[in-house]
Amino acid sequence: MKNKFAHSFPRILLGLSVVTFLAGMPGGLQADVFYVSDTNGSNAEPGTSWDKAKKTIQAGIDTSHSGDVLVVGPGTYKGTGNVNVAFGGKSLQVVAKDGPAATILDGENVASTKGFVMDRESDGHHHDQRIVGFRLI
């Protein structure tokens, strides 16, 4: 007769592995999600839902904390708050909800304009900063 624990052991290991993975992520299990919308956002909003989204990417980053995720809605983002976007030392993931075909950072052909400005630690490595799904023009 097999021990009942033997059947559940693989599930327990899987559960512990997932918890360990999530706890090892920046911010652990405390990550929040913030939102940016080019069409109906306002920087006066808290950015905590699509209905209360921030207007600019920089405002979304400024509101978030290390380990959080910033989801950016479709649109063409340009001008102050959407170019030369700085992480300010935070470990964040900035994700374009609908990918590069629908989410564009437009530098407006200004030579000094960058999409994102990544931080470097004193040893030359970047913080845990991820940018996913943007088209830079």
Side-chain angles (χ1 to χ4, degrees):
M1 182 162 151
K2 285 190 171 182
N3 183 338
K4 290 181 184 180
F5 181 72
H7 289 292
S8 60
F9 187 69
R11 282 183 262 164
I12 291 170
L13 280 179
L14 177 61
L16 288 173
S17 297
V18 169
V19 169
T20 301
F21 171 76
L22 291 173
M25 292 177 63
L29 298 174
Q30 303 296 321
D32 289 319
V33 178
F34 292 93
Y35 302 87
V36 175
S37 174
D38 183 50
T39 55
N40 64 352
S42 167
N43 287 339
E45 294 289 349
T48 53
S49 68
W50 286 116
D51 292 337
K52 297 179 180 180
K54 293 288 188 182
K55 177 73 173 169
T56 64
I57 298 169
Q58 188 66 63
I61 288 176
D62 292 346
T63 299
S64 62
H65 302 92
S66 283
D68 290 344
V69 176
L70 182 64
V71 180
V72 180
T76 299
Y77 294 84
K78 57 186 174 180
T80 303
N82 291 313
V83 294
N84 297 325
V85 177
F87 282 76
K90 297 176 185 177
S91 297
L92 299 172
Q93 292 186 55
V94 181
V95 181
K97 177 182 170 279
D98 294 331
T103 314
I104 301 163
L105 260 63
D106 184 351
E108 302 181 280
N109 292 321
V110 177
S112 62
T113 299
K114 298 169 181 58
F116 291 93
V117 179
M118 309 296 281
D119 297 319
R120 284 188 184 227
E121 296 180 20
S122 59
D123 63 3
H125 291 93
H126 291 286
H127 293 269
D128 191 10
Q129 299 168 337
R130 294 186 180 112
I131 303 163
V132 180
F134 289 87
R135 185 169 139 211
L136 305 176
I137 60 172

